[in-house]
Structure formats: C-alpha cells, structure tokens
Amino acid sequence: MTYGIVLTYTVTPRWLALSRTQRNALRAQHLEPVFAAYADRVTARFFDAEAFHGRVSDFAVLETEDLGAYYFLIEALRDTPVVAGGYLTFNDVFLGVEDGFHAYEQALTTGDALR
C-alpha cells in the first residue's frame, strides 16, 4: 500500500529572525541530508501555507510504502538543531492510504480481507 502523509508544521519567530542566508544554511546542513537519507523510501514535496492559513506556516506531502522509514525520518528530523532548537514545530499529521477502497475490494475477492 502507498501511504500519503500531510505533515503540517510552523516555523517559529526564532527562525524568521534569521537572515535568509542563515535559514538556507540550516536547511542545507540539517534538513536536506535527512530527506536525502530516506529519499529511496519516502518522497517529499513542500508547500508554503502562511498566506492561506492562520495556524500553520507550511506543510509537506510525503508518500511511502514503508511507514517505518517515515517514522525514522521524523525521528531524525526531531534530532536536528532546526527542530530540537525550536526553529520549527510539527502540528497535525494526516495519514491516508492511496485508493485504499480498491485494495480492500480486491482483498474481499481473494479472501485476504477476512484474515
């Protein structure tokens, strides 16, 4: 199964107080390597939301077939100075199964849904 995950997060005033050069350096040094380490198992797209949403500033849309890899990615992010240092906080996480009803219907026909 392919899982879709919407991870909402907010950058803090501490992050916004940094220059864009400092932000880009932190992102390149700490965040990009984490996503690169899991890129073979978790794909990520990033969206800005602050102009459209009052509670979160950004969100990521992640896809994976390996929830363990997703979980480890999040733990690795939490260990970075960006998250641990209070520059970014996670908010809501929405998890779904791509076309899950199709998989369920197929499992019904094979009897796998009843196990």
Side-chain angles (χ1 to χ4, degrees):
M1 292 185 159
T2 300
Y3 299 93
I5 302 141
V6 177
L7 173 64
T8 66
Y9 56 97
T10 301
V11 296
T12 66
R14 185 168 186 223
W15 176 263
L16 296 173
L18 298 172
S19 70
R20 292 193 180 271
T21 301
Q22 291 170 310
R23 292 182 213 167
N24 289 334
L26 282 170
R27 187 173 26 257
Q29 183 179 4
H30 300 291
L31 300 179
E32 291 173 9
V34 172
F35 283 98
Y38 291 90
D40 62 329
R41 291 162 287 160
V42 181
T43 62
R45 295 172 44 210
F46 302 94
F47 297 84
D48 295 325
E50 62 271 350
F52 309 103
H53 197 285
R55 198 167 58 88
V56 301
S57 64
D58 302 87
F59 63 93
V61 176
L62 310 174
E63 285 189 14
T64 189
E65 292 181 2
D66 183 348
L67 286 178
Y70 159 75
Y71 181 83
F72 288 170
L73 179 140
I74 297 300
E75 286 295 325
L77 289 173
R78 291 169 47 115
D79 288 344
T80 67
V82 175
V83 177
Y87 292 108
L88 179 150
T89 58
F90 294 122
N91 300 112
D92 295 323
V93 177
F94 301 96
L95 175 67
V97 176
E98 183 176 23
D99 291 328
F101 71 97
H102 285 301
Y104 179 69
E105 288 172 356
Q106 184 177 2
L108 283 175
T109 62
T110 63
D112 290 339
L114 304 175
R115 294 182 199 173

Short mmCIF file of all heavy atoms in Angstrom, two decimals, residues 12-73:
data_model
loop_
_atom_site.label_atom_id
_atom_site.label_comp_id
_atom_site.label_asym_id
_atom_site.label_seq_id
_atom_site.Cartn_x
_atom_site.Cartn_y
_atom_site.Cartn_z
N THR A 12 8.99 29.11 13.64
CA THR A 12 8.81 29.99 14.78
C THR A 12 9.41 31.37 14.51
O THR A 12 10.19 31.54 13.58
CB THR A 12 9.47 29.38 16.02
OG1 THR A 12 10.89 29.35 15.81
CG2 THR A 12 8.94 27.98 16.31
N PRO A 13 9.07 32.35 15.35
CA PRO A 13 9.71 33.67 15.21
C PRO A 13 11.23 33.59 15.28
O PRO A 13 11.92 34.40 14.65
CB PRO A 13 9.12 34.45 16.39
CG PRO A 13 7.78 33.84 16.60
CD PRO A 13 8.00 32.37 16.35
N ARG A 14 11.74 32.62 16.00
CA ARG A 14 13.19 32.44 16.07
C ARG A 14 13.77 32.15 14.67
O ARG A 14 14.83 32.66 14.31
CB ARG A 14 13.51 31.30 17.03
CG ARG A 14 14.96 31.10 17.28
CD ARG A 14 15.19 30.16 18.44
NE ARG A 14 16.63 30.14 18.69
CZ ARG A 14 17.32 29.07 18.94
NH1 ARG A 14 16.72 27.91 19.04
NH2 ARG A 14 18.62 29.13 19.13
N TRP A 15 13.09 31.33 13.88
CA TRP A 15 13.50 31.04 12.51
C TRP A 15 13.39 32.30 11.65
O TRP A 15 14.29 32.62 10.88
CB TRP A 15 12.63 29.93 11.95
CG TRP A 15 12.89 29.60 10.50
CD1 TRP A 15 12.20 30.06 9.42
CD2 TRP A 15 13.90 28.74 9.99
NE1 TRP A 15 12.71 29.53 8.26
CE2 TRP A 15 13.77 28.72 8.59
CE3 TRP A 15 14.92 27.98 10.58
CZ2 TRP A 15 14.60 27.97 7.76
CZ3 TRP A 15 15.74 27.23 9.76
CH2 TRP A 15 15.58 27.23 8.37
N LEU A 16 12.28 32.99 11.78
CA LEU A 16 12.05 34.18 10.96
C LEU A 16 13.04 35.29 11.28
O LEU A 16 13.30 36.15 10.43
CB LEU A 16 10.61 34.66 11.14
CG LEU A 16 9.53 33.69 10.67
CD1 LEU A 16 8.16 34.19 11.04
CD2 LEU A 16 9.66 33.42 9.17
N ALA A 17 13.60 35.30 12.48
CA ALA A 17 14.59 36.31 12.85
C ALA A 17 15.94 36.08 12.17
O ALA A 17 16.76 37.00 12.09
CB ALA A 17 14.77 36.33 14.36
N LEU A 18 16.16 34.88 11.68
CA LEU A 18 17.41 34.59 10.97
C LEU A 18 17.38 35.23 9.58
O LEU A 18 16.31 35.41 8.99
CB LEU A 18 17.59 33.07 10.79
CG LEU A 18 17.71 32.23 12.06
CD1 LEU A 18 17.69 30.75 11.69
CD2 LEU A 18 18.96 32.59 12.82
N SER A 19 18.54 35.53 9.06
CA SER A 19 18.61 36.02 7.68
C SER A 19 18.28 34.86 6.74
O SER A 19 18.37 33.68 7.12
CB SER A 19 20.01 36.55 7.37
OG SER A 19 20.94 35.48 7.30
N ARG A 20 17.91 35.17 5.53
CA ARG A 20 17.62 34.11 4.56
C ARG A 20 18.86 33.26 4.30
O ARG A 20 18.75 32.05 4.11
CB ARG A 20 17.08 34.71 3.27
CG ARG A 20 15.69 35.30 3.50
CD ARG A 20 14.99 35.63 2.20
NE ARG A 20 13.68 36.18 2.49
CZ ARG A 20 12.57 35.48 2.65
NH1 ARG A 20 12.63 34.17 2.55
NH2 ARG A 20 11.42 36.06 2.91
N THR A 21 20.02 33.87 4.35
CA THR A 21 21.27 33.11 4.18
C THR A 21 21.44 32.11 5.31
O THR A 21 21.80 30.94 5.07
CB THR A 21 22.48 34.07 4.13
OG1 THR A 21 22.29 34.98 3.04
CG2 THR A 21 23.78 33.33 3.97
N GLN A 22 21.16 32.51 6.54
CA GLN A 22 21.26 31.60 7.69
C GLN A 22 20.22 30.48 7.59
O GLN A 22 20.53 29.32 7.87
CB GLN A 22 21.07 32.37 8.99
CG GLN A 22 22.21 33.31 9.31
CD GLN A 22 21.87 34.22 10.48
OE1 GLN A 22 20.81 34.86 10.50
NE2 GLN A 22 22.78 34.29 11.45
N ARG A 23 19.01 30.82 7.20
CA ARG A 23 17.96 29.80 7.04
C ARG A 23 18.36 28.77 5.99
O ARG A 23 18.22 27.56 6.20
CB ARG A 23 16.64 30.44 6.61
CG ARG A 23 15.98 31.30 7.64
CD ARG A 23 14.68 31.80 7.10
NE ARG A 23 14.39 33.12 7.59
CZ ARG A 23 13.44 33.91 7.11
NH1 ARG A 23 12.70 33.53 6.10
NH2 ARG A 23 13.23 35.10 7.63
N ASN A 24 18.84 29.26 4.85
CA ASN A 24 19.24 28.35 3.78
C ASN A 24 20.39 27.45 4.22
O ASN A 24 20.43 26.27 3.87
CB ASN A 24 19.62 29.14 2.52
CG ASN A 24 18.40 29.75 1.86
OD1 ASN A 24 17.29 29.24 1.99
ND2 ASN A 24 18.60 30.84 1.15
N ALA A 25 21.31 27.99 5.01
CA ALA A 25 22.44 27.19 5.50
C ALA A 25 21.95 26.10 6.46
O ALA A 25 22.38 24.95 6.37
CB ALA A 25 23.47 28.08 6.18
N LEU A 26 21.04 26.44 7.37
CA LEU A 26 20.49 25.44 8.30
C LEU A 26 19.72 24.36 7.55
O LEU A 26 19.84 23.18 7.85
CB LEU A 26 19.59 26.11 9.33
CG LEU A 26 20.30 26.84 10.47
CD1 LEU A 26 19.30 27.66 11.29
CD2 LEU A 26 21.02 25.84 11.36
N ARG A 27 18.93 24.80 6.58
CA ARG A 27 18.15 23.83 5.80
C ARG A 27 19.10 22.88 5.06
O ARG A 27 18.91 21.66 5.09
CB ARG A 27 17.24 24.57 4.82
CG ARG A 27 16.29 23.69 4.07
CD ARG A 27 15.25 24.43 3.21
NE ARG A 27 15.60 25.74 2.74
CZ ARG A 27 15.14 26.89 3.27
NH1 ARG A 27 14.30 26.86 4.29
NH2 ARG A 27 15.49 28.05 2.78
N ALA A 28 20.13 23.43 4.43
CA ALA A 28 21.06 22.61 3.66
C ALA A 28 21.89 21.68 4.55
O ALA A 28 22.15 20.54 4.20
CB ALA A 28 21.98 23.50 2.83
N GLN A 29 22.27 22.19 5.70
CA GLN A 29 23.15 21.41 6.59
C GLN A 29 22.40 20.35 7.37
O GLN A 29 22.94 19.27 7.64
CB GLN A 29 23.86 22.35 7.55
CG GLN A 29 24.85 21.66 8.47
CD GLN A 29 25.57 22.64 9.39
OE1 GLN A 29 25.28 23.83 9.42
NE2 GLN A 29 26.49 22.12 10.16
N HIS A 30 21.15 20.63 7.77
CA HIS A 30 20.47 19.73 8.70
C HIS A 30 19.23 19.03 8.15
O HIS A 30 18.98 17.88 8.50
CB HIS A 30 20.09 20.50 9.97
CG HIS A 30 21.27 21.07 10.68
ND1 HIS A 30 22.19 20.28 11.32
CD2 HIS A 30 21.68 22.35 10.82
CE1 HIS A 30 23.13 21.05 11.84
NE2 HIS A 30 22.85 22.31 11.55
N LEU A 31 18.43 19.71 7.33
CA LEU A 31 17.18 19.11 6.87
C LEU A 31 17.35 18.31 5.58
O LEU A 31 16.88 17.17 5.48
CB LEU A 31 16.10 20.18 6.68
CG LEU A 31 15.74 20.98 7.94
CD1 LEU A 31 14.68 22.01 7.62
CD2 LEU A 31 15.30 20.06 9.06
N GLU A 32 18.01 18.89 4.61
CA GLU A 32 18.16 18.21 3.33
C GLU A 32 18.86 16.86 3.45
O GLU A 32 18.43 15.89 2.80
CB GLU A 32 18.85 19.12 2.32
CG GLU A 32 17.96 20.29 1.91
CD GLU A 32 18.66 21.31 1.04
OE1 GLU A 32 19.81 21.07 0.59
OE2 GLU A 32 18.05 22.38 0.81
N PRO A 33 19.91 16.72 4.29
CA PRO A 33 20.53 15.40 4.42
C PRO A 33 19.59 14.33 4.99
O PRO A 33 19.67 13.16 4.62
CB PRO A 33 21.72 15.65 5.36
CG PRO A 33 22.03 17.09 5.20
CD PRO A 33 20.70 17.75 4.97
N VAL A 34 18.69 14.73 5.87
CA VAL A 34 17.73 13.76 6.43
C VAL A 34 16.79 13.27 5.33
O VAL A 34 16.59 12.07 5.17
CB VAL A 34 16.94 14.37 7.60
CG1 VAL A 34 15.82 13.42 8.05
CG2 VAL A 34 17.87 14.70 8.77
N PHE A 35 16.24 14.20 4.57
CA PHE A 35 15.33 13.79 3.50
C PHE A 35 16.08 12.98 2.44
O PHE A 35 15.53 12.01 1.90
CB PHE A 35 14.62 15.00 2.89
CG PHE A 35 13.51 15.50 3.76
CD1 PHE A 35 13.70 16.58 4.60
CD2 PHE A 35 12.28 14.87 3.76
CE1 PHE A 35 12.67 17.04 5.42
CE2 PHE A 35 11.25 15.31 4.58
CZ PHE A 35 11.45 16.39 5.40
N ALA A 36 17.32 13.33 2.17
CA ALA A 36 18.12 12.58 1.19
C ALA A 36 18.37 11.14 1.68
O ALA A 36 18.35 10.20 0.88
CB ALA A 36 19.44 13.29 0.93
N ALA A 37 18.57 10.98 2.97
CA ALA A 37 18.84 9.64 3.52
C ALA A 37 17.65 8.70 3.37
O ALA A 37 17.82 7.49 3.31
CB ALA A 37 19.24 9.75 5.00
N TYR A 38 16.45 9.24 3.30
CA TYR A 38 15.24 8.43 3.18
C TYR A 38 14.57 8.54 1.82
O TYR A 38 13.50 7.99 1.60
CB TYR A 38 14.25 8.83 4.29
CG TYR A 38 14.72 8.43 5.65
CD1 TYR A 38 15.50 9.30 6.42
CD2 TYR A 38 14.46 7.16 6.16
CE1 TYR A 38 15.98 8.90 7.67
CE2 TYR A 38 14.93 6.76 7.39
CZ TYR A 38 15.69 7.64 8.14
OH TYR A 38 16.17 7.25 9.37
N ALA A 39 15.21 9.23 0.89
CA ALA A 39 14.60 9.51 -0.41
C ALA A 39 14.25 8.25 -1.20
O ALA A 39 13.34 8.27 -2.03
CB ALA A 39 15.50 10.41 -1.24
N ASP A 40 14.93 7.16 -0.93
CA ASP A 40 14.61 5.91 -1.64
C ASP A 40 13.35 5.25 -1.10
O ASP A 40 12.80 4.34 -1.72
CB ASP A 40 15.78 4.94 -1.57
CG ASP A 40 16.13 4.51 -0.15
OD1 ASP A 40 15.94 5.32 0.80
OD2 ASP A 40 16.61 3.38 0.03
N ARG A 41 12.86 5.73 0.07
CA ARG A 41 11.67 5.13 0.68
C ARG A 41 10.56 6.11 0.97
O ARG A 41 9.40 5.72 1.15
CB ARG A 41 12.07 4.41 1.98
CG ARG A 41 12.92 3.18 1.69
CD ARG A 41 13.66 2.72 2.90
NE ARG A 41 14.75 3.67 3.16
CZ ARG A 41 15.36 3.81 4.30
NH1 ARG A 41 15.03 3.07 5.32
NH2 ARG A 41 16.33 4.69 4.45
N VAL A 42 10.90 7.40 1.05
CA VAL A 42 9.90 8.43 1.35
C VAL A 42 10.12 9.60 0.39
O VAL A 42 11.20 10.18 0.36
CB VAL A 42 10.02 8.93 2.80
CG1 VAL A 42 8.95 9.99 3.09
CG2 VAL A 42 9.92 7.79 3.79
N THR A 43 9.09 9.92 -0.40
CA THR A 43 9.19 11.09 -1.26
C THR A 43 8.54 12.27 -0.55
O THR A 43 7.61 12.09 0.25
CB THR A 43 8.51 10.87 -2.62
OG1 THR A 43 7.11 10.63 -2.42
CG2 THR A 43 9.14 9.72 -3.37
N ALA A 44 9.03 13.46 -0.84
CA ALA A 44 8.54 14.65 -0.14
C ALA A 44 8.39 15.82 -1.10
O ALA A 44 9.25 16.04 -1.96
CB ALA A 44 9.50 15.02 0.98
N ARG A 45 7.30 16.55 -0.92
CA ARG A 45 7.06 17.82 -1.61
C ARG A 45 6.70 18.82 -0.53
O ARG A 45 6.01 18.48 0.44
CB ARG A 45 5.93 17.67 -2.62
CG ARG A 45 6.31 16.71 -3.73
CD ARG A 45 5.15 16.38 -4.66
NE ARG A 45 4.36 17.53 -5.05
CZ ARG A 45 3.06 17.45 -5.34
NH1 ARG A 45 2.43 16.30 -5.27
NH2 ARG A 45 2.40 18.52 -5.69
N PHE A 46 7.14 20.06 -0.71
CA PHE A 46 6.99 21.07 0.34
C PHE A 46 6.17 22.25 -0.17
O PHE A 46 6.35 22.70 -1.30
CB PHE A 46 8.37 21.55 0.80
CG PHE A 46 9.21 20.43 1.33
CD1 PHE A 46 10.10 19.77 0.50
CD2 PHE A 46 9.08 20.00 2.64
CE1 PHE A 46 10.87 18.71 0.97
CE2 PHE A 46 9.83 18.95 3.13
CZ PHE A 46 10.72 18.30 2.28
N PHE A 47 5.29 22.74 0.71
CA PHE A 47 4.37 23.82 0.35
C PHE A 47 4.37 24.90 1.43
O PHE A 47 4.36 24.58 2.62
CB PHE A 47 2.95 23.26 0.20
CG PHE A 47 2.82 22.25 -0.90
CD1 PHE A 47 3.13 20.92 -0.68
CD2 PHE A 47 2.40 22.64 -2.16
CE1 PHE A 47 3.01 19.97 -1.69
CE2 PHE A 47 2.28 21.69 -3.18
CZ PHE A 47 2.60 20.36 -2.94
N ASP A 48 4.33 26.15 0.99
CA ASP A 48 4.15 27.27 1.91
C ASP A 48 2.66 27.50 2.08
O ASP A 48 1.90 27.44 1.11
CB ASP A 48 4.79 28.54 1.34
CG ASP A 48 6.29 28.45 1.22
OD1 ASP A 48 6.90 27.81 2.10
OD2 ASP A 48 6.84 29.01 0.27
N ALA A 49 2.25 27.78 3.31
CA ALA A 49 0.82 27.96 3.57
C ALA A 49 0.50 29.23 4.35
O ALA A 49 -0.67 29.55 4.53
CB ALA A 49 0.28 26.75 4.34
N GLU A 50 1.51 29.96 4.79
CA GLU A 50 1.25 31.08 5.70
C GLU A 50 0.34 32.15 5.10
O GLU A 50 -0.37 32.82 5.84
CB GLU A 50 2.55 31.70 6.21
CG GLU A 50 3.43 32.29 5.15
CD GLU A 50 4.41 31.29 4.57
OE1 GLU A 50 4.54 30.18 5.10
OE2 GLU A 50 5.03 31.63 3.57
N ALA A 51 0.32 32.30 3.79
CA ALA A 51 -0.54 33.30 3.17
C ALA A 51 -1.99 32.83 3.09
O ALA A 51 -2.89 33.63 2.81
CB ALA A 51 -0.03 33.64 1.77
N PHE A 52 -2.22 31.55 3.37
CA PHE A 52 -3.55 30.98 3.20
C PHE A 52 -4.11 30.34 4.46
O PHE A 52 -5.25 29.91 4.48
CB PHE A 52 -3.51 29.90 2.10
CG PHE A 52 -2.87 30.40 0.84
CD1 PHE A 52 -1.57 30.03 0.51
CD2 PHE A 52 -3.54 31.25 -0.01
CE1 PHE A 52 -0.97 30.49 -0.65
CE2 PHE A 52 -2.96 31.72 -1.18
CZ PHE A 52 -1.66 31.35 -1.50
N HIS A 53 -3.28 30.23 5.48
CA HIS A 53 -3.70 29.52 6.68
C HIS A 53 -3.14 30.25 7.90
O HIS A 53 -1.99 30.65 7.90
CB HIS A 53 -3.16 28.07 6.64
CG HIS A 53 -3.84 27.15 7.59
ND1 HIS A 53 -3.61 27.16 8.94
CD2 HIS A 53 -4.76 26.19 7.37
CE1 HIS A 53 -4.36 26.23 9.52
NE2 HIS A 53 -5.06 25.63 8.59
N GLY A 54 -3.94 30.39 8.93
CA GLY A 54 -3.51 31.13 10.10
C GLY A 54 -2.81 30.30 11.17
O GLY A 54 -2.16 30.84 12.05
N ARG A 55 -2.94 28.98 11.11
CA ARG A 55 -2.43 28.14 12.19
C ARG A 55 -1.11 27.46 11.86
O ARG A 55 -0.32 27.17 12.75
CB ARG A 55 -3.48 27.10 12.57
CG ARG A 55 -3.24 26.47 13.92
CD ARG A 55 -4.45 25.69 14.41
NE ARG A 55 -4.86 24.64 13.51
CZ ARG A 55 -4.38 23.40 13.53
NH1 ARG A 55 -3.47 23.06 14.40
NH2 ARG A 55 -4.82 22.50 12.68
N VAL A 56 -0.86 27.17 10.59
CA VAL A 56 0.40 26.53 10.20
C VAL A 56 1.06 27.39 9.13
O VAL A 56 0.39 28.09 8.38
CB VAL A 56 0.19 25.09 9.67
CG1 VAL A 56 -0.45 24.21 10.73
CG2 VAL A 56 -0.60 25.07 8.39
N SER A 57 2.37 27.33 9.05
CA SER A 57 3.06 28.13 8.04
C SER A 57 3.40 27.31 6.80
O SER A 57 3.56 27.87 5.72
CB SER A 57 4.33 28.75 8.63
OG SER A 57 5.25 27.75 9.00
N ASP A 58 3.51 26.00 6.96
CA ASP A 58 3.96 25.16 5.86
C ASP A 58 3.38 23.76 6.01
O ASP A 58 2.92 23.39 7.09
CB ASP A 58 5.49 25.04 5.86
CG ASP A 58 6.17 26.39 5.76
OD1 ASP A 58 6.39 27.03 6.80
OD2 ASP A 58 6.48 26.79 4.62
N PHE A 59 3.46 22.99 4.93
CA PHE A 59 3.15 21.58 5.04
C PHE A 59 3.97 20.81 4.01
O PHE A 59 4.40 21.35 2.99
CB PHE A 59 1.66 21.27 4.91
CG PHE A 59 1.02 21.61 3.58
CD1 PHE A 59 0.93 20.66 2.57
CD2 PHE A 59 0.49 22.87 3.36
CE1 PHE A 59 0.33 20.96 1.37
CE2 PHE A 59 -0.11 23.18 2.15
CZ PHE A 59 -0.20 22.23 1.15
N ALA A 60 4.18 19.55 4.32
CA ALA A 60 4.87 18.64 3.41
C ALA A 60 3.90 17.52 3.06
O ALA A 60 3.12 17.07 3.90
CB ALA A 60 6.12 18.05 4.06
N VAL A 61 3.95 17.09 1.81
CA VAL A 61 3.19 15.93 1.36
C VAL A 61 4.20 14.82 1.13
O VAL A 61 5.09 14.95 0.28
CB VAL A 61 2.39 16.23 0.08
CG1 VAL A 61 1.68 14.98 -0.41
CG2 VAL A 61 1.40 17.36 0.32
N LEU A 62 4.10 13.79 1.92
CA LEU A 62 5.03 12.67 1.87
C LEU A 62 4.30 11.45 1.35
O LEU A 62 3.10 11.27 1.59
CB LEU A 62 5.59 12.38 3.27
CG LEU A 62 6.15 13.59 4.04
CD1 LEU A 62 6.51 13.19 5.45
CD2 LEU A 62 7.34 14.16 3.32
N GLU A 63 5.02 10.60 0.63
CA GLU A 63 4.48 9.32 0.18
C GLU A 63 5.48 8.22 0.50
O GLU A 63 6.69 8.42 0.36
CB GLU A 63 4.21 9.32 -1.32
CG GLU A 63 3.00 10.12 -1.71
CD GLU A 63 2.63 9.93 -3.18
OE1 GLU A 63 3.14 8.99 -3.82
OE2 GLU A 63 1.84 10.73 -3.67
N THR A 64 4.94 7.09 0.93
CA THR A 64 5.80 5.96 1.26
C THR A 64 5.00 4.67 1.24
O THR A 64 3.78 4.68 1.40
CB THR A 64 6.46 6.14 2.64
OG1 THR A 64 7.44 5.12 2.84
CG2 THR A 64 5.44 6.12 3.77
N GLU A 65 5.69 3.59 1.05
CA GLU A 65 5.12 2.26 1.25
C GLU A 65 5.67 1.66 2.53
O GLU A 65 5.33 0.53 2.89
CB GLU A 65 5.44 1.36 0.05
CG GLU A 65 4.73 1.80 -1.22
CD GLU A 65 5.02 0.91 -2.40
OE1 GLU A 65 5.75 -0.09 -2.27
OE2 GLU A 65 4.52 1.22 -3.49
N ASP A 66 6.52 2.41 3.21
CA ASP A 66 7.24 1.93 4.39
C ASP A 66 7.03 2.91 5.56
O ASP A 66 7.75 3.89 5.68
CB ASP A 66 8.73 1.81 4.03
CG ASP A 66 9.59 1.26 5.15
OD1 ASP A 66 9.12 1.14 6.30
OD2 ASP A 66 10.76 0.94 4.85
N LEU A 67 6.03 2.62 6.38
CA LEU A 67 5.75 3.52 7.50
C LEU A 67 6.89 3.58 8.50
O LEU A 67 7.09 4.60 9.17
CB LEU A 67 4.45 3.12 8.20
CG LEU A 67 3.17 3.46 7.45
CD1 LEU A 67 1.95 2.96 8.22
CD2 LEU A 67 3.06 4.95 7.17
N GLY A 68 7.68 2.52 8.60
CA GLY A 68 8.85 2.54 9.47
C GLY A 68 9.86 3.57 9.00
O GLY A 68 10.43 4.31 9.82
N ALA A 69 10.08 3.66 7.69
CA ALA A 69 11.01 4.66 7.15
C ALA A 69 10.48 6.06 7.42
O ALA A 69 11.25 6.96 7.78
CB ALA A 69 11.22 4.43 5.67
N TYR A 70 9.18 6.26 7.25
CA TYR A 70 8.57 7.57 7.56
C TYR A 70 8.80 7.92 9.03
O TYR A 70 9.22 9.03 9.36
CB TYR A 70 7.07 7.57 7.24
CG TYR A 70 6.32 8.64 7.97
CD1 TYR A 70 6.42 9.97 7.58
CD2 TYR A 70 5.56 8.34 9.10
CE1 TYR A 70 5.76 10.97 8.28
CE2 TYR A 70 4.90 9.32 9.79
CZ TYR A 70 5.00 10.63 9.38
OH TYR A 70 4.35 11.62 10.09
N TYR A 71 8.55 6.96 9.91
CA TYR A 71 8.72 7.20 11.34
C TYR A 71 10.18 7.57 11.66
O TYR A 71 10.44 8.52 12.40
CB TYR A 71 8.30 5.97 12.14
CG TYR A 71 8.43 6.19 13.63
CD1 TYR A 71 7.43 6.84 14.34
CD2 TYR A 71 9.57 5.78 14.31
CE1 TYR A 71 7.57 7.07 15.69
CE2 TYR A 71 9.72 6.02 15.66
CZ TYR A 71 8.71 6.66 16.35
OH TYR A 71 8.85 6.90 17.69
N PHE A 72 11.11 6.84 11.10
CA PHE A 72 12.53 7.13 11.35
C PHE A 72 12.92 8.49 10.78
O PHE A 72 13.72 9.21 11.38
CB PHE A 72 13.42 6.04 10.76
CG PHE A 72 13.37 4.74 11.53
CD1 PHE A 72 13.96 3.61 11.00
CD2 PHE A 72 12.73 4.62 12.76
CE1 PHE A 72 13.93 2.40 11.68
CE2 PHE A 72 12.69 3.42 13.45
CZ PHE A 72 13.30 2.30 12.91
N LEU A 73 12.35 8.86 9.63
CA LEU A 73 12.62 10.19 9.07
C LEU A 73 12.19 11.27 10.04
O LEU A 73 12.93 12.23 10.30
CB LEU A 73 11.89 10.34 7.73
CG LEU A 73 12.05 11.69 7.04
CD1 LEU A 73 12.21 11.50 5.55
CD2 LEU A 73 10.86 12.59 7.31
#
